[in-house]
Amino acid sequence: MDIAHRRIGQPASEYKTREYNWAGNLGYRQERLERPTGVDALREIVAAASSVRALGSRHSFNDIADTTGTLVSLEHLPADISVDGAGRTVSVGAATRYGELAAELQRQGFALGNLASLPHISVAGAVATATHGSGNGNGNLATAVAAIEFVTASGDLRTARRGEDPDFEGMVVNLGALGIMTRLTLDVEPSFPVRQDAYTDLPWARVLDRFEEVTGAAYSVSLFTDWAGDTVSQAWLKSRTSADDGAPAAEAFFGGTRAEEPLHPVPGMSPVNCTQQLGVPGPWSDRLAHFRLAFTPSSGAELQSEYLVGSEHALAAIDAVRSLAPKLAPLLQISEIRTMAADRLWLSGNYGRSGIGLHFTWKPLQAEVEAFLPELESSLAPFAARPHWGKLFTGQAGPLERLYPRLEDFRALAGAWDPQGKFRNGFLERTVFAPAASPAS
């Protein structure tokens, strides 16, 4: 299957548009690209369109946002960040980047429970695809959603609220299939300081033997590896702390050695664009993400895949990937292992189960990565691995139906919200709405 429409290196003249995703591996195919400056203008655009999709911060690596009809960028809609301190929520424009939201919340003395590795992604895009940070007790970013405002297929404005709409848990991780999100209300809490400490060269044997202790050693833990050799190359620990906690971290961590200078997850890359390390306490807004908003994390010359596995299969899934190291190594920049808490969002990778995310940052070798993904996915299939909706994977609706118990319910929900299929595209038809194949006789 051709996962993307434009492989890196293909001439732009082959496509109708010069609009690409952040990584440059996909060219959007829209007939029209609209950039409304207000919700009323957006409503008119959606009502008049026969096919329409929303374009977020373009950090998806597949065609989830693509359409041959009308593509709508929300980048010019106002952020209009409004904090309800008494209710412990914040209302924010859908296209607002998490880094911008975090800075404003910190200014007002509030915090989100977690952030993804990149603060550059939009709130709506992250929520719609169940994007996550890390932490045994932390749900993905979508679990913070208390309300969503949508522009529906008819151009109407509709708000869904947690505790009021019986299908709310199906509306949050929505893949853009219900409408275009214009505002979201998120849970917040009082601001808290965080320190970030890093360790290098943790023996795999120690990590696997005490895996829950390793991942539970801080509020958020990330393990970076190239899968080769006997050690995990880096462990990043983000700990909730006090503002005056500047004491040195322990010299060793499960056999790893405390880093004495800042690190970048990818070997050989400068850490200048990474958030503050070396145990220096600071606001959550400047520590929970891996990278600083003011910097582009890299040139964008990369591809990404990720698969989420239940906690009970974590060690077996890690072993399965380690066995593929000789084939992985030529394609890989770095991998990251993170943990997430269970939730009840229908299309979340953590629906009904806590687990780990096995993240792969590939070199920009689209054809080679596409050729390898079936083998990787086959090795993870025994563990019911769910792919991240915004990254490269080869899954079809039939197999995915076995991974998401509420997928049929989501189809019905999307059919009720969008009976004419205005928000559907090739990605959704391939992954969500295509009928499952009949069993072989």
Side-chain angles (χ1 to χ4, degrees), residues 125-403:
V127 165
T129 57
T131 294
H132 59 87
S134 188
N136 289 2
N138 299 324
N140 64 47
L141 302 186
T143 60
V145 176
I148 308 175
E149 180 184 271
F150 293 91
V151 172
T152 66
S154 62
D156 293 332
L157 206 58
R158 178 173 174 180
T159 300
R161 294 182 174 85
R162 184 172 60 201
E164 296 182 10
D165 292 275
D167 292 329
F168 184 77
E169 290 173 337
M171 299 175 185
V172 182
V173 183
N174 58 69
L175 312 183
L178 306 184
I180 295 181
M181 292 184 281
T182 55
R183 292 193 67 75
L184 296 94
T185 301
L186 309 176
D187 299 328
V188 298
E189 59 184 282
S191 178
F192 53 89
V194 171
R195 60 177 290 166
Q196 184 169 214
D197 298 281
Y199 292 84
T200 61
D201 298 323
L202 289 69
W204 268 115
R206 294 280 298 277
V207 170
L208 296 178
D209 183 55
R210 301 171 67 181
F211 187 73
E212 290 188 10
E213 290 181 62
V214 171
T215 60
Y219 183 70
S220 170
V221 175
S222 290
L223 303 176
F224 296 99
T225 178
D226 61 4
W227 301 104
D230 297 325
T231 61
V232 175
S233 57
Q234 297 179 29
W236 289 20
L237 280 62
K238 302 172 191 283
S239 305
R240 293 179 68 145
T241 186
S242 61
D244 58 356
D245 176 18
E251 292 187 7
F253 178 71
F254 292 94
T257 303
R258 184 182 65 205
E260 300 297 340
E261 57 185 28
L263 303 175
H264 190 288
V266 179
M269 293 195 69
S270 169
V272 65
N273 56 8
C274 297
T275 49
Q276 177 72 55
Q277 301 169 31
L278 305 182
V280 179
W284 66 278
S285 53
D286 294 333
R287 299 293 188 277
L288 287 182
H290 292 340
F291 300 98
R292 299 177 181 177
L293 181 63
F295 292 85
T296 301
S298 70
S299 64
E302 64 186 52
L303 303 170
Q304 294 183 13
S305 299
E306 186 176 34
Y307 302 90
L308 293 97
V309 174
S311 296
E312 69 275 20
H313 298 305
L315 299 185
I318 289 171
D319 282 342
V321 177
R322 290 184 70 198
S323 72
L324 297 175
K327 297 180 179 180
L328 273 168
L331 304 175
L332 194 66
Q333 294 192 45
I334 198 67
S335 271
E336 181 179 8
I337 302 172
R338 289 180 284 179
T339 59
M340 292 76 65
D343 62 61
R344 301 301 301 172
L345 306 178
W346 295 359
L347 295 189
S348 165
N350 292 103
Y351 174 82
R353 68 188 196 190
S354 61
I356 64 168
L358 300 169
H359 186 278
F360 302 87
T361 299
W362 308 108
K363 297 174 183 177
L365 303 170
Q366 181 100 23
E368 293 88 340
V369 169
E370 287 184 9
F372 176 69
L373 285 181
E375 183 173 359
L376 175 60
E377 292 174 5
S378 177
S379 73
L380 294 173
F383 316 115
R386 297 169 180 166
H388 188 299
W389 294 107
K391 303 185 188 296
L392 295 180
F393 65 97
T394 65
Q396 306 289 301
L400 290 177
E401 194 162 23
R402 296 190 290 271
L403 298 175

Side-chain angles (χ1 to χ4, degrees), residues 393-415:
F393 65 97
T394 65
Q396 306 289 301
L400 290 177
E401 194 162 23
R402 296 190 290 271
L403 298 175
Y404 293 91
R406 302 298 298 272
L407 187 60
E408 185 57 39
D409 294 328
F410 181 79
R411 289 174 181 151
L413 179 65

